[in-house]
């Protein structure tokens, strides 16, 4: 294999990794969009998410276009801010990834016993 082929393969692998990262982030942004409907989320968090989306698709970048680290970083910051705002706005929801304490579970309706006195 000559060096040109090696560089083309490495470039293709890097492009696929960046594309996969962009798709994952797009899915997370679309899922987070549902959180924006909640009235308890402050306007700052909503605006930060939309600013991150606009910055990601805009041609103006801090780093050159083949490197999407600034776009990905800005989107992750916006999603983290949105997640924190949604967690603080929703009562009874656990804070932090994987936390199970504080989650309210619905109570099961109890069936009356057949031998119970009415």
């Amino acid at each position: 294999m000559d060096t040109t082929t090696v560089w083309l393969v490495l470039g293709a692998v890097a492009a696929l990794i960046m594309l996969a990262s962009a798709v994952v982030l797009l899915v997370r942004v679309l899922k987070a969009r549902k959180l924006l409907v909640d009235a308890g989320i402050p306007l700052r968090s909503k605006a930060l998410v939309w600013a991150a989306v606009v910055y990601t698709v805009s041609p103006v970048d801090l780093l050159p276009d083949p490197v999407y680290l600034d776009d990905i970083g800005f989107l992750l910051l916006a999603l983290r801010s949105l997640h924190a705002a949604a967690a603080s706005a929703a009562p009874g929801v656990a804070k932090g990834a994987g936390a199970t304490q504080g989650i309210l579970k619905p109570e099961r309706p109890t069936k009356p016993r057949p031998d119970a006195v009415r």
Side-chain angles (χ1 to χ4, degrees):
M1 216 189 280
D2 61 346
T3 58
T4 306
T5 307
V6 171
W7 282 110
L8 286 175
V9 169
L10 287 175
V13 168
L16 286 175
I17 289 172
M18 282 192 276
L19 180 65
S21 299
V23 168
V24 167
L25 286 174
L26 179 65
V27 168
R28 289 182 72 183
V29 166
L30 292 177
K31 285 182 180 179
R33 183 181 178 277
K34 288 192 272 186
L35 293 174
L36 294 177
V37 177
D38 186 12
I41 297 175
L43 180 62
R44 180 181 148 264
S45 296
K46 293 177 185 180
L48 186 61
V49 168
W50 289 117
V53 170
V54 168
Y55 178 77
T56 301
V57 297
S58 75
V60 179
D61 282 334
L62 294 175
L63 297 176
D65 220 14
V67 181
Y68 292 113
L69 293 177
D70 58 335
D71 298 332
I72 292 170
F74 196 33
L75 277 174
L76 287 175
L77 175 72
L79 289 174
R80 180 176 286 225
S81 170
L82 181 65
H83 179 69
S88 66
V93 175
K95 292 182 175 77
T100 58
Q101 298 175 0
I103 296 176
L104 299 177
K105 294 182 181 179
E107 294 182 19
R108 291 185 186 175
T110 58
K111 293 182 182 177
R113 295 186 336 210
D115 61 339
V117 178
R118 292 184 190 193

mmCIF file of all heavy atoms in Angstrom, residues 25-43:
data_model
loop_
_atom_site.group_PDB
_atom_site.id
_atom_site.type_symbol
_atom_site.label_atom_id
_atom_site.label_comp_id
_atom_site.label_asym_id
_atom_site.label_seq_id
_atom_site.Cartn_x
_atom_site.Cartn_y
_atom_site.Cartn_z
ATOM 1 N N LEU A 25 -25.099 13.714 17.906
ATOM 2 C CA LEU A 25 -25.451 15.015 18.467
ATOM 3 C C LEU A 25 -26.762 15.546 17.907
ATOM 4 O O LEU A 25 -27.546 16.153 18.630
ATOM 5 C CB LEU A 25 -24.327 16.013 18.216
ATOM 6 C CG LEU A 25 -23.101 15.826 19.086
ATOM 7 C CD1 LEU A 25 -21.999 16.778 18.657
ATOM 8 C CD2 LEU A 25 -23.436 16.036 20.536
ATOM 9 N N LEU A 26 -27.013 15.318 16.629
ATOM 10 C CA LEU A 26 -28.277 15.754 16.044
ATOM 11 C C LEU A 26 -29.450 15.053 16.703
ATOM 12 O O LEU A 26 -30.469 15.677 17.017
ATOM 13 C CB LEU A 26 -28.281 15.512 14.534
ATOM 14 C CG LEU A 26 -29.562 15.906 13.802
ATOM 15 C CD1 LEU A 26 -29.775 17.409 13.890
ATOM 16 C CD2 LEU A 26 -29.516 15.449 12.363
ATOM 17 N N VAL A 27 -29.317 13.767 16.939
ATOM 18 C CA VAL A 27 -30.387 13.018 17.608
ATOM 19 C C VAL A 27 -30.595 13.562 19.017
ATOM 20 O O VAL A 27 -31.730 13.749 19.462
ATOM 21 C CB VAL A 27 -30.064 11.510 17.623
ATOM 22 C CG1 VAL A 27 -30.988 10.757 18.550
ATOM 23 C CG2 VAL A 27 -30.147 10.943 16.216
ATOM 24 N N ARG A 28 -29.500 13.851 19.726
ATOM 25 C CA ARG A 28 -29.621 14.392 21.082
ATOM 26 C C ARG A 28 -30.263 15.777 21.071
ATOM 27 O O ARG A 28 -31.051 16.109 21.955
ATOM 28 C CB ARG A 28 -28.257 14.449 21.757
ATOM 29 C CG ARG A 28 -27.736 13.069 22.104
ATOM 30 C CD ARG A 28 -26.426 13.129 22.815
ATOM 31 N NE ARG A 28 -26.640 13.639 24.176
ATOM 32 C CZ ARG A 28 -25.661 13.851 25.034
ATOM 33 N NH1 ARG A 28 -24.411 13.613 24.678
ATOM 34 N NH2 ARG A 28 -25.913 14.311 26.227
ATOM 35 N N VAL A 29 -29.941 16.591 20.077
ATOM 36 C CA VAL A 29 -30.545 17.920 19.986
ATOM 37 C C VAL A 29 -32.041 17.802 19.697
ATOM 38 O O VAL A 29 -32.858 18.519 20.288
ATOM 39 C CB VAL A 29 -29.836 18.775 18.905
ATOM 40 C CG1 VAL A 29 -30.641 20.004 18.555
ATOM 41 C CG2 VAL A 29 -28.461 19.166 19.377
ATOM 42 N N LEU A 30 -32.417 16.891 18.824
ATOM 43 C CA LEU A 30 -33.834 16.729 18.526
ATOM 44 C C LEU A 30 -34.609 16.187 19.722
ATOM 45 O O LEU A 30 -35.745 16.586 19.964
ATOM 46 C CB LEU A 30 -34.014 15.817 17.309
ATOM 47 C CG LEU A 30 -33.534 16.412 15.981
ATOM 48 C CD1 LEU A 30 -33.689 15.397 14.855
ATOM 49 C CD2 LEU A 30 -34.283 17.693 15.659
ATOM 50 N N LYS A 31 -33.994 15.300 20.491
ATOM 51 C CA LYS A 31 -34.646 14.819 21.711
ATOM 52 C C LYS A 31 -34.740 15.935 22.740
ATOM 53 O O LYS A 31 -35.730 16.051 23.459
ATOM 54 C CB LYS A 31 -33.875 13.639 22.300
ATOM 55 C CG LYS A 31 -34.082 12.355 21.544
ATOM 56 C CD LYS A 31 -33.339 11.220 22.210
ATOM 57 C CE LYS A 31 -33.529 9.930 21.462
ATOM 58 N NZ LYS A 31 -32.791 8.817 22.091
ATOM 59 N N ALA A 32 -33.707 16.755 22.811
ATOM 60 C CA ALA A 32 -33.708 17.857 23.770
ATOM 61 C C ALA A 32 -34.709 18.935 23.379
ATOM 62 O O ALA A 32 -35.150 19.707 24.226
ATOM 63 C CB ALA A 32 -32.312 18.447 23.869
ATOM 64 N N ARG A 33 -35.103 18.972 22.123
ATOM 65 C CA ARG A 33 -36.082 19.957 21.668
ATOM 66 C C ARG A 33 -37.391 19.811 22.428
ATOM 67 O O ARG A 33 -38.084 20.790 22.691
ATOM 68 C CB ARG A 33 -36.315 19.806 20.177
ATOM 69 C CG ARG A 33 -37.253 20.842 19.614
ATOM 70 C CD ARG A 33 -37.480 20.631 18.129
ATOM 71 N NE ARG A 33 -38.404 21.589 17.601
ATOM 72 C CZ ARG A 33 -39.721 21.486 17.670
ATOM 73 N NH1 ARG A 33 -40.268 20.449 18.256
ATOM 74 N NH2 ARG A 33 -40.502 22.413 17.154
ATOM 75 N N LYS A 34 -37.729 18.569 22.775
ATOM 76 C CA LYS A 34 -38.953 18.346 23.541
ATOM 77 C C LYS A 34 -38.881 19.028 24.900
ATOM 78 O O LYS A 34 -39.892 19.475 25.426
ATOM 79 C CB LYS A 34 -39.207 16.850 23.712
ATOM 80 C CG LYS A 34 -39.643 16.183 22.430
ATOM 81 C CD LYS A 34 -40.160 14.802 22.688
ATOM 82 C CE LYS A 34 -39.034 13.812 22.652
ATOM 83 N NZ LYS A 34 -39.473 12.420 22.757
ATOM 84 N N LEU A 35 -37.678 19.135 25.452
ATOM 85 C CA LEU A 35 -37.527 19.800 26.739
ATOM 86 C C LEU A 35 -37.757 21.305 26.635
ATOM 87 O O LEU A 35 -38.096 21.955 27.620
ATOM 88 C CB LEU A 35 -36.136 19.535 27.312
ATOM 89 C CG LEU A 35 -35.834 18.105 27.712
ATOM 90 C CD1 LEU A 35 -34.370 17.972 28.125
ATOM 91 C CD2 LEU A 35 -36.736 17.655 28.829
ATOM 92 N N LEU A 36 -37.556 21.856 25.453
ATOM 93 C CA LEU A 36 -37.722 23.293 25.277
ATOM 94 C C LEU A 36 -39.168 23.727 25.395
ATOM 95 O O LEU A 36 -39.449 24.899 25.624
ATOM 96 C CB LEU A 36 -37.155 23.725 23.923
ATOM 97 C CG LEU A 36 -35.652 23.576 23.769
ATOM 98 C CD1 LEU A 36 -35.244 23.960 22.362
ATOM 99 C CD2 LEU A 36 -34.922 24.406 24.779
ATOM 100 N N VAL A 37 -40.083 22.814 25.230
ATOM 101 C CA VAL A 37 -41.496 23.150 25.333
ATOM 102 C C VAL A 37 -41.881 23.416 26.786
ATOM 103 O O VAL A 37 -42.794 24.179 27.063
ATOM 104 C CB VAL A 37 -42.350 22.009 24.725
ATOM 105 C CG1 VAL A 37 -43.820 22.284 24.866
ATOM 106 C CG2 VAL A 37 -41.974 21.825 23.267
ATOM 107 N N ASP A 38 -41.150 22.820 27.707
ATOM 108 C CA ASP A 38 -41.434 22.978 29.128
ATOM 109 C C ASP A 38 -41.280 24.435 29.529
ATOM 110 O O ASP A 38 -40.275 25.061 29.261
ATOM 111 C CB ASP A 38 -40.484 22.092 29.940
ATOM 112 C CG ASP A 38 -40.804 22.096 31.413
ATOM 113 O OD1 ASP A 38 -41.887 22.600 31.779
ATOM 114 O OD2 ASP A 38 -39.998 21.590 32.203
ATOM 115 N N ALA A 39 -42.280 24.985 30.186
ATOM 116 C CA ALA A 39 -42.255 26.396 30.574
ATOM 117 C C ALA A 39 -41.309 26.665 31.740
ATOM 118 O O ALA A 39 -40.934 27.796 31.977
ATOM 119 C CB ALA A 39 -43.656 26.854 30.947
ATOM 120 N N GLY A 40 -40.887 25.626 32.463
ATOM 121 C CA GLY A 40 -40.011 25.831 33.600
ATOM 122 C C GLY A 40 -38.553 26.014 33.224
ATOM 123 O O GLY A 40 -37.732 26.328 34.073
ATOM 124 N N ILE A 41 -38.220 25.829 31.980
ATOM 125 C CA ILE A 41 -36.829 25.973 31.538
ATOM 126 C C ILE A 41 -36.568 27.444 31.218
ATOM 127 O O ILE A 41 -37.316 28.057 30.468
ATOM 128 C CB ILE A 41 -36.552 25.086 30.315
ATOM 129 C CG1 ILE A 41 -36.740 23.625 30.702
ATOM 130 C CG2 ILE A 41 -35.164 25.324 29.776
ATOM 131 C CD1 ILE A 41 -36.608 22.681 29.554
ATOM 132 N N PRO A 42 -35.504 28.018 31.781
ATOM 133 C CA PRO A 42 -35.252 29.444 31.545
ATOM 134 C C PRO A 42 -34.903 29.740 30.088
ATOM 135 O O PRO A 42 -34.403 28.887 29.358
ATOM 136 C CB PRO A 42 -34.061 29.764 32.458
ATOM 137 C CG PRO A 42 -33.544 28.481 32.957
ATOM 138 C CD PRO A 42 -34.553 27.426 32.697
ATOM 139 N N LEU A 43 -35.178 30.977 29.718
ATOM 140 C CA LEU A 43 -34.942 31.419 28.345
ATOM 141 C C LEU A 43 -33.465 31.308 27.972
ATOM 142 O O LEU A 43 -33.124 31.028 26.830
ATOM 143 C CB LEU A 43 -35.431 32.858 28.174
ATOM 144 C CG LEU A 43 -35.256 33.481 26.793
ATOM 145 C CD1 LEU A 43 -36.059 32.689 25.763
ATOM 146 C CD2 LEU A 43 -35.668 34.922 26.807
#
